[in-house]
Structure formats: structure tokens, C-alpha cells
Amino acid sequence: MSTKRKPGGHPARADPTTDKTFRTMKAAVELVRDTDSRLSPEAHLNLRAAALGLMHAYAELAGLPAPTELLGGRT
């Protein structure tokens, strides 16, 4: 008798493109954190904007709310 194994992880991450987007987004966010004092304010702003763009792309691919929607509820 064989038992079915439940798939692990978030179902959206099963898609290779979504998984690649998640890994790239995570690396970009870590880069923003690590380069805070090493870049000019303008360059750091551009890097943060790129990370935010990747967050939007991942949210859309994974069927999650956009990061700006999550922040919109805060005052």
C-alpha cells in the first residue's frame, strides 16, 4: 500500500519562474540591507526601487497582495 506524499512549500514556488523571482527578490532585499552605508543616497534609492519592483513581480506571480497594498493600511 503506497501513501501519497503532500507537496512541500508554497504552491506558487513550484513554478520555476516564480521560484527564480523569489530568489532574486530575496537577494535584492539583502543587497539593499548590506549596502545601506556604502552607496550614495541616490544609488541606494534606485536599488530599493528595483527591490520593490521585484516584490511586485513576485506578488503577482504568486497570487499575493502587492507590497504597496499591504503598506496602504498603515497610517
Side-chain angles (χ1 to χ4, degrees):
M1 185 181 335
S2 69
T3 59
K4 289 188 177 182
R5 188 177 128 130
K6 289 185 179 181
H10 194 280
R13 301 251 336 256
D15 176 47
T17 302
T18 305
D19 189 45
K20 185 176 185 178
T21 305
F22 176 80
R23 289 191 317 260
T24 305
M25 175 195 69
K26 184 177 176 186
V29 169
E30 290 171 353
L31 189 61
V32 167
R33 178 196 65 207
D34 296 342
T35 59
D36 186 23
S37 62
R38 298 179 66 190
L39 295 175
S40 68
E42 182 181 357
H44 199 253
L45 177 65
N46 289 333
L47 185 59
R48 290 191 329 247
L52 181 60
L54 285 166
M55 289 178 192
H56 275 277
Y58 176 71
E60 190 170 313
L61 290 171
L64 300 170
T68 50
E69 289 177 21
L70 295 174
L71 296 174
R74 295 184 179 175
T75 55

